[in-house]
Amino acid sequence: RTPPSGAAAIGTGEGSVAELEARTAFVLRQLAGAEAHASLDFIFCLLISSRATSDLRALNPFVSQARAEALFDLVVSTVCHATRVGQCNRCITEVGELIRLLRAAAEEARGPAGSASGDTLANISIHSEALAESLSTRRHFVRAGGAESPGPGVGVGAVAAAAAAPTSLVYDPRLLLFEFIHNILLRKAQVELVDEFVRKVRGGEPLVKQMLMGGGKTTVISPILSLMLGDGKSLVVQMMPPALLEQTKATLRSAFSSIIRKRVFTLSFDRASAVSWRIVDKMRSAVAHRGVVLCTATSVKSVQLRLLEKLDVLRDTRRKHHPSMERDVRALASVVSMFADSGLLIMDEVDLLLHPLRSELNFPVGEKLPLDFSPERWTLAIHLLDPIFCVARQGAMSVPFQQSSRARAIIDELRAEVDRGYAQHCLQSSPHLVLLNEEWYAERMKPVMAKWALLWLEAQHVTGLSQAQILAYVTRDPQRAALERWEGDEEWVYREVPDRPVEDAKDEGAGTAMLRLHALAGAQLSPKAFKMLNLVADWLGTLLPHCLQKISRVTFGLLSAEEYARLQISEPLMPRSRFKLAIPFVGKDVPARASEFAHPDVIIGLTVLAYRYEGMRRVDFEEDVVQLVRTNFEKEVGPFPQRKSAIMYEDWVEQAGGMVKGSQRPSAQAIAADPSVDDDRVVVPLWLLKQSNDEQVRKLYALLHKEPLAIHWFLEEMIFPAFMRHQTTKLSASGQEIGGDMLFGRRIGFSGTPSDLLPQALGRCGYEEG
């Protein structure tokens, strides 16, 4: 029953002398390497070819139709037998484990307890059910001849079975071969899910299904869908969260590395990526070779936004147009066109990819402008965060309220509340102060921080409201506002905002109190003062608790010089702001590859925290701080020790516990008189400091890199003015573009934890029963 190829073909005695000569010549050419041999992998692959006999005869023209069909029947029998042997081996393993458990139960029954333990009995029940399930397992993709066919062009098994009698069986050889390669038997739920996905794709309908953990999303469903839907006409794109990209790539390459071979491509693209026709060629190659393209949602959205960005530049005649820009636009347009015309999107963990709050990608465009209401936006952040460090690290104030008794009293009150927070587990102290309970913050910590913010407002000369009114406004506390009764010039507020009925008697008057307070603030305060009040209220109510819940080097942090150099290799166009400002981290000491925080005040707050926790990097200190201080010093006039920069420099050193050589300050004299003082605490005066002197810079960096006064000056004078500039226009893409029909005409998805927060065009999720 083997085909007459090779030496066996000569001894058959079939045909004329001319045919025998042709067969002999064919065998000789095979021996010489001029003709190919039909390998076992090739024979197995023919099972899923819609031209199996033609493909085999193209390799060996002396194989007859009858012998080819007999060969395929033999191969199918071999595959079925091999997978059944694998299933028997798994049953034998279960039997061995069950025998071991039964013996253990018998031993326990003969012991003092007189019966087997509950854990042993539970394990016996579990393994008994597993054995029964293994023994009764069947091939769920094999159906009666009259059942629904798996579709045209799916292989010789289905074609042959469909041509047989009505009592014959119909099966999909792709699923049969997949079982053989992986030595598994597909579960009924997996077969039904694959059938439903394929049916919906052929009908042009989207579908999202739930698959619980352990259902084989990545190892079974994903490879089978890639195999069945890659038909040489469709661009199969499989999308997953970044954390699953490498795992999925390894799984698919392993699945398609033997017998069934498919090319697995990766689309990695962001705003900094170079545009070339290689991307188009990769997509076309994936279609032609029936391969699969793996990508993240960010890569697809970046392709779309990059195309819109370049089109916007080409439309604006005022901007410079590089000759290569039109070529880039055509390349990106070709990729997007392939997505729309022939693209088939398979989404893994669809709930993460399409989450309405986490799937947005923004490309700011246009001219960069100074941040509105600066520098007050960062001076307020520095002021509000400083007492946190003062209390948590038992340090001194670093904002200009050291001589204020009110400020010291507020610090003491905050310290008491923080100690209570630690005791009530509403705060944690390791690795630094971290807020764990927002309700506790609003009740206990926010009122104290409001008093601290009032010091900053008074320093900014905010007048027109009483202290009680300002505190009520910035805390957004209607009860506090309701207690205020205004007289004289403020009576008009009661006529402007009359009382409104409220359902809860306890809140009587509170509903209108805040409206009256807002109206009064709008009338009494200047626009700038009103803006300050609103900024303080936002910080106390939202921004401060948000920042305090973050953990340094886990959820946010600064790039180290080594991390920045490493990222620059893979992202040569990475913006400088990612090095100077705080960025998101995806794990402990694992910075996000391309992400940045979107809200400017969150960036400011987390950047202040990051520099206070981690300190200035050596490159920041040498290239920015020392250079700018020296430059300012040289521009100033007067005796060296009395220049503004020299005084500031000596303040930093004194606050850090060091001294400047030759200083006449009492603190410096005390250090100089102490013979046990470490020499590293003594630094040269500013006018003698040289950047080229490594010893001087090393000592100064060790003393000042975590000094709050130096860090605040560095942030206020250099980092925030230079890198907190913004663009008023942005291009935005979200899960709506991925899940809707804007990019891909055909879309399917699955997830272990889905939700109904899906684009309307994707339909509702089909939840798994049970």
Side-chain angles (χ1 to χ4, degrees):
R1 297 179 63 83
T2 56
S5 64
I10 301 177
T12 58
E14 298 178 356
S16 62
V17 175
E19 183 180 353
L20 183 60
E21 291 177 351
R23 288 171 178 268
T24 304
F26 177 77
V27 172
L28 292 174
R29 288 197 301 273
Q30 279 187 323
L31 295 174
E35 294 285 353
H37 293 267
S39 66
L40 191 58
D41 283 3
F42 178 73
I43 298 296
F44 282 131
C45 274
L46 290 179
L47 290 181
I48 61 174
S49 171
S50 57
R51 305 184 306 271
T53 303
S54 301
D55 291 340
L56 182 59
R57 288 177 61 83
L59 198 64
N60 189 338
F62 299 103
V63 178
S64 65
Q65 179 76 24
R67 286 182 177 274
E69 292 178 358
L71 172 64
F72 295 138
D73 288 343
L74 181 61
V75 172
V76 170
S77 299
T78 303
V79 169
C80 289
H81 179 72
T83 53
R84 184 56 63 186
V85 168
Q87 185 67 9
C88 289
N89 288 334
R90 287 188 286 273
C91 291
I92 292 172
T93 302
E94 288 290 346
V95 168
E97 182 63 20
L98 189 56
I99 291 174
R100 186 190 66 80
L101 289 171
L102 290 172
R103 288 174 177 170
E107 288 291 334
E108 293 175 0
R110 289 193 292 268
S115 63
S117 64
D119 290 344
T120 302
L121 294 176
N123 286 332
I124 290 174
S125 175
I126 292 172
H127 284 278
S128 299
E129 292 177 2
L131 177 59
E133 184 179 349
S134 298
L135 289 171
S136 60
T137 297
R138 58 184 295 269
R139 288 190 172 89
H140 299 283
F141 58 86
V142 179
R143 303 178 178 90
E148 181 182 354
S149 171
V154 296
V156 296
V159 173
T167 57
S168 63
L169 299 176
V170 177
Y171 62 90
D172 191 326
R174 295 170 295 192
L175 301 181
L176 180 67
L177 194 58
F178 187 87
E179 284 187 339
F180 171 69
I181 293 172
H182 296 276
N183 190 24
I184 62 172
L185 285 180
L186 294 173
R187 305 171 194 167
K188 183 179 180 180
Q190 293 172 338
V191 174
E192 292 175 347
L193 184 63
V194 169
D195 287 346
E196 186 176 4
F197 274 131
V198 173
R199 188 170 60 252
K200 290 290 186 179
V201 168
R202 288 175 180 159
E205 301 178 41
L207 178 65
V208 175
K209 298 290 288 185
Q210 180 187 23
M211 281 194 69
L212 297 178
M213 183 178 295
K217 297 188 296 293
T218 304
T219 56
V220 177
I221 301 299
S222 172
I224 291 178
L225 290 176
S226 301
L227 172 63
M228 300 181 74
L229 299 176
D231 55 6
K233 298 178 182 178
S234 300
L235 174 63
V236 180
V237 178
Q238 188 165 334
M239 183 181 293
M240 69 289 300
L244 296 179
L245 180 60
E246 291 302 322
Q247 176 191 347
T248 306
K249 186 191 304 182
T251 300
L252 289 182
R253 286 181 174 170
S254 175
F256 298 130
S257 61
S258 62
I259 302 182
I260 303 175
R261 288 180 168 83
K262 274 183 175 289
R263 297 188 65 181
V264 179
F265 301 85
T266 303
L267 174 62
S268 180
F269 193 86
D270 56 34
R271 193 173 190 178
S273 300
V275 180
S276 70
W277 276 95
R278 285 195 297 270
I279 302 176
V280 182
D281 294 339
K282 180 187 290 187
M283 299 299 105
R284 290 174 178 170
S285 179
V287 174
H289 293 89
R290 305 181 181 221
V292 57
V293 178
L294 304 182
C295 66
T296 63
T298 300
S299 295
V300 173
K301 288 181 285 190
S302 295
V303 170
Q304 179 193 25
L305 295 183
R306 191 77 180 276
L307 173 60
L308 295 176
E309 181 183 19
K310 288 187 174 293
L311 287 173
D312 180 61
V313 173
L314 288 176
R315 185 187 61 178
D316 192 347
T317 57
R318 297 171 298 175
R319 304 189 198 177
K320 293 182 179 179
H321 296 166
H322 194 275
S324 64
M325 193 168 292
E326 293 185 10
R327 180 203 64 199
D328 295 345
V329 167
R330 284 194 290 269
L332 292 171
S334 298
V335 174
V336 173
S337 178
M338 292 180 69
F339 287 162
D341 297 339
S342 60
L344 168 58
L345 181 62
I346 303 173
M347 294 174 283
D348 190 2
E349 302 296 350
V350 65
D351 56 316
L352 298 179
L353 298 177
L354 306 183
H355 194 287
L357 300 180
R358 300 177 184 172
S359 62
E360 188 173 277
L361 178 67
N362 298 311
F363 278 16
V365 295
E367 182 184 0
K368 288 190 174 183
L369 304 173
L371 189 65
D372 181 48
F373 203 54
S374 56
E376 286 83 359
R377 290 179 81 156
W378 48 76
T379 59
L380 173 61
I382 290 172
H383 176 81
L384 288 176
L385 292 171
D386 188 68
I388 304 298
F389 290 93
C390 183
V391 168
R393 296 188 174 182
Q394 303 298 321
M397 275 186 278
S398 302
V399 290
F401 293 98
Q402 293 90 344
Q403 307 303 321
S404 170
S405 58
R406 277 179 57 199
R408 291 194 296 271
I410 295 171
I411 292 291
D412 292 338
E413 185 179 357
L414 180 62
R415 183 176 290 108
E417 293 297 343
V418 168
D419 290 340
R420 293 191 191 97
Y422 289 147
Q424 298 171 13
H425 304 291
C426 298
L427 297 172
Q428 74 177 40
S429 58
S430 178
H432 50 72
L433 187 146
V434 180
L435 177 64
L436 303 178
N437 189 324
E438 282 195 71
E439 294 181 358
W440 176 88
Y441 165 84
E443 180 183 353
R444 307 296 304 175
M445 192 171 172
K446 182 179 177 181
V448 183
M449 295 304 300
K451 297 177 184 177
W452 181 260
L454 184 61
L455 296 175
W456 182 82
L457 289 172
E458 291 174 352
Q460 303 299 318
H461 308 292
V462 173
T463 58
L465 297 179
S466 67
Q467 288 187 2
Q469 291 167 345
I470 291 176
L471 290 175
Y473 188 92
V474 298
T475 56
R476 300 282 197 258
D477 186 355
Q479 298 296 336
R480 185 194 292 261
L483 296 176
E484 293 296 316
R485 180 68 189 179
W486 307 317
E487 301 176 356
D489 295 339
E490 302 170 359
E491 284 291 339
W492 62 270
V493 175
Y494 290 88
R495 297 189 298 271
E496 188 77 17
V497 184
D499 289 327
R500 296 182 304 171
V502 293
E503 297 179 1
D504 193 345
K506 182 179 67 174
D507 294 331
E508 184 176 359
T512 56
M514 287 304 300
L515 295 177
R516 288 171 175 166
L517 184 56
H518 190 279
L520 180 65
Q524 299 288 92
L525 300 176
S526 66
K528 182 177 180 180
F530 200 10
K531 190 178 290 189
M532 288 183 187
L533 233 58
N534 287 325
L535 181 61
V536 170
D538 288 342
W539 262 100
L540 293 176
T542 305
L543 299 170
L544 184 59
H546 174 78
C547 292
L548 293 181
Q549 291 178 83
K550 302 289 186 180
I551 301 177
S552 177
R553 301 294 297 179
V554 176
T555 54
F556 78 102
L558 299 171
L559 285 174
S560 66
E562 295 77 14
E563 290 167 340
Y564 182 68
R566 188 164 57 248
L567 284 175
Q568 273 195 314
I569 297 174
S570 58
E571 306 291 338
L573 300 180
M574 183 175 63
R576 183 74 172 166
S577 59
R578 277 180 52 81
F579 183 56
K580 294 297 186 181
L581 300 174
I583 62 170
F585 275 48
V586 297
K588 179 69 172 74
D589 295 325
V590 183
R593 192 173 66 89
S595 301
E596 297 183 45
F597 292 108
H599 196 293
D601 291 304
V602 170
I603 297 174
I604 292 171
L606 293 180
T607 299
V608 173
L609 288 175
Y611 278 99
R612 291 292 301 266
Y613 289 139
E614 302 177 37
M616 291 181 283
R617 294 155 296 196
R618 182 71 179 261
V619 64
D620 297 328
F621 188 76
E622 291 185 10
E623 297 181 2
D624 296 334
V625 176
V626 174
Q627 183 173 345
L628 183 58
V629 171
R630 283 283 305 175
T631 301
N632 291 344
F633 175 80
E634 291 170 359
K635 292 179 181 178
E636 295 163 357
V637 296
F640 288 170
Q642 298 177 16
R643 293 184 183 181
K644 181 180 178 181
S645 296
I647 296 173
M648 179 185 68
Y649 170 83
E650 192 166 357
D651 289 340
W652 294 354
V653 173
E654 181 181 1
Q655 190 75 12
M659 66 162 287
V660 176
K661 286 183 180 179
S663 173
Q664 300 302 313
R665 294 189 178 186
S667 59
Q669 296 292 328
I671 294 176
D674 187 353
S676 63
V677 171
D678 188 355
D679 184 60
D680 285 343
R681 293 171 58 189
V682 181
V683 297
V684 297
L686 180 59
W687 54 90
L688 298 179
L689 178 64
K690 297 184 181 299
Q691 286 181 266
S692 59
N693 191 316
D694 290 339
E695 179 64 20
Q696 290 182 357
V697 175
R698 181 195 63 79
K699 290 172 61 176
L700 195 60
Y701 174 73
L703 192 65
L704 298 182
H705 77 285
K706 285 194 173 183
E707 168 52 41
L709 292 177
I711 290 174
H712 293 168
W713 179 87
F714 173 57
L715 294 175
E716 293 184 63
E717 296 295 324
M718 301 193 67
I719 298 299
F720 291 144
F723 295 99
M724 286 307 300
R725 301 172 69 84
H726 76 293
Q727 293 159 287
T728 57
T729 307
K730 68 177 180 181
L731 302 173
S732 180
S734 66
Q736 180 66 40
E737 283 76 11
I738 300 297
D741 54 9
M742 181 180 294
L743 289 174
F744 291 90
R746 296 175 293 172
R747 306 165 309 283
I748 57 176
F750 43 84
S751 176
T753 55
S755 69
D756 286 327
L757 293 175
L758 301 175
Q760 188 173 6
L762 199 56
R764 293 181 63 85
C765 173
Y767 292 95
E768 187 170 338
E769 294 183 1

